[in-house]
Amino acid sequence: MAKDEPSDEEERELWDRLLTTTTEEEFRKFVIDQLALRPDESVLSVGCGPGFETAALAQHITEEGSITGIDLNEEVLAAAKDRCGDFSQVSFKQGDITDLPVADGRYDLAIAKQVFSQISDVESALNELYRVIKRDGRMAVTAGDRRTHVKHTPTDRMQRADDIYRSEMTDRQRGTRLVGLLPETGFSVEKVIPRAKIQTEINAQIERGIEIQRRFLQASDTFDDAEIETWEQELRELDEADQFLSCGTAFLYLVRKPE
């Protein structure tokens, strides 16, 4: 294992911290509330992580239905199995969204929440989701658009640091590009619902963002180590003064596979 690479246990603990912030819990509830779930539906949860979403779905889907969680990471899948051990309608498989290990036309509903920001082959992923959904089946997809991300940056240094961060993030417009990509795959877009994700403190998610942004700044030609330290201190001083504010928009697409 590389020096800076987290252990399996550290990775598991990290995801637990990231997915139990108030913002993520509220967003998870928001998505499920829009689905009008039936208790006998077959549901595919792609990128299920350590099972928080799967457990929340299991509150709505009875043993007459089923839930399959899929994730690439073995360690977070182990956590998901532990978390959902009391739900007999839940099962898990290791797999990739571009090559799903499930049969054609298997599911009434597929959910891919914040998965598309992590992949490069969007076309293959959408084709796979189309394949595994039944005719007249539904899908819920969420993704953000980096252009909607705003922060309180009262100093020139903080503004420049955010400019570098935005320039380094790949496919910043994916949340809005899906409005064209989904119909190209064959889906009918029924509704697009925006949702602001607001952070007013430095929690586990923001700490993760600071870590990523720090790496971008270290690789840049415009920030030296001293300025990076000052930039981070400015962020933490805002947090201590209750003036930290970060907000981005996620787009929830509710789509259907034609009969």
Side-chain angles (χ1 to χ4, degrees):
M1 183 173 64
K3 179 179 179 181
D4 296 327
E5 183 180 344
S7 67
D8 288 344
E9 184 62 28
E10 289 171 337
E11 184 78 6
R12 179 170 173 167
E13 291 176 357
L14 170 64
W15 280 109
D16 280 359
R17 293 195 303 273
L18 292 175
L19 295 174
T20 53
T21 62
T22 299
T23 300
E24 283 306 308
E25 289 176 348
E26 290 177 348
F27 188 65
R28 191 158 51 240
K29 182 179 185 302
F30 158 73
V31 172
I32 291 176
D33 285 349
Q34 308 304 314
L35 298 178
L37 292 164
R38 302 190 312 272
D40 62 346
E41 287 192 290
S42 53
V43 180
L44 178 66
S45 175
V46 183
C48 65
F52 291 102
E53 177 179 88
T54 322
L57 289 167
Q59 304 298 324
H60 302 269
I61 304 297
T62 67
E63 294 181 0
E64 296 177 350
S66 66
I67 306 167
T68 305
I70 290 183
D71 203 280
L72 266 177
N73 187 294
E74 290 184 10
E75 186 64 23
V76 297
L77 277 177
K81 292 174 182 177
D82 290 343
R83 182 160 286 109
C84 299
D86 293 336
F87 299 111
S88 61
Q89 69 273 43
V90 173
S91 63
F92 295 95
K93 294 184 178 183
Q94 186 178 12
D96 188 289
I97 191 172
T98 61
D99 187 19
L100 294 169
V102 295
D104 295 358
R106 167 70 176 80
Y107 294 96
D108 297 304
L109 169 68
I111 303 173
K113 187 163 66 63
Q114 301 301 95
V115 177
F116 281 91
S117 60
Q118 309 297 323
I119 61 176
S120 57
D121 192 353
V122 176
E123 181 180 356
S124 293
L126 289 175
N127 285 333
E128 273 293 272
L129 289 165
Y130 190 88
R131 176 183 68 81
V132 303
I133 297 173
K134 296 177 181 179
R135 292 191 178 277
D136 200 38
R138 302 175 295 143
M139 183 169 70
V141 178
T142 71
D145 188 318
R146 294 285 175 183
R147 295 172 302 173
T148 71
H149 190 198
V150 294
K151 288 167 66 176
H152 175 43
T153 53
T155 70
D156 173 71
R157 181 182 295 104
M158 295 174 73
Q159 292 174 28
R160 289 189 291 111
D162 276 11
D163 288 342
I164 290 172
Y165 178 75
R166 283 191 291 268
S167 69
E168 291 293 334
M169 298 304 290
T170 59
D171 203 351
R172 295 180 296 140
Q173 303 177 29
R174 189 156 291 171
T176 46
R177 285 185 62 222
L178 283 170
V179 77
L181 295 173
L182 286 160
E184 288 176 7
T185 306
F187 289 105
S188 173
V189 178
E190 297 186 336
K191 189 179 291 187
V192 184
I193 309 171
R195 170 80 175 191
K197 299 181 73 172
I198 300 172
Q199 305 277 16
T200 57
E201 63 180 356
I202 296 180
N203 57 20
Q205 279 190 325
I206 299 300
E207 290 287 4
R208 180 69 164 172
I210 290 173
E211 177 186 334
I212 293 169
Q213 191 165 358
R214 174 183 277 272
R215 291 202 296 267
F216 289 157
L217 297 180
Q218 289 169 337
S220 75
D221 296 328
T222 56
F223 274 75
D224 58 26
D225 290 345
E227 194 168 25
I228 292 172
E229 292 301 323
T230 303
W231 159 77
E232 184 171 340
Q233 183 60 35
E234 288 174 340
L235 279 176
R236 300 195 182 280
E237 287 174 356
L238 286 176
D239 188 44
E240 292 170 3
D242 295 325
Q243 293 179 18
F244 183 87
L245 178 63
S246 175
C247 179
T249 301
F251 297 90
L252 168 61
Y253 288 82
L254 300 178
V255 306
R256 190 174 297 273
K257 179 178 178 177
E259 292 190 58

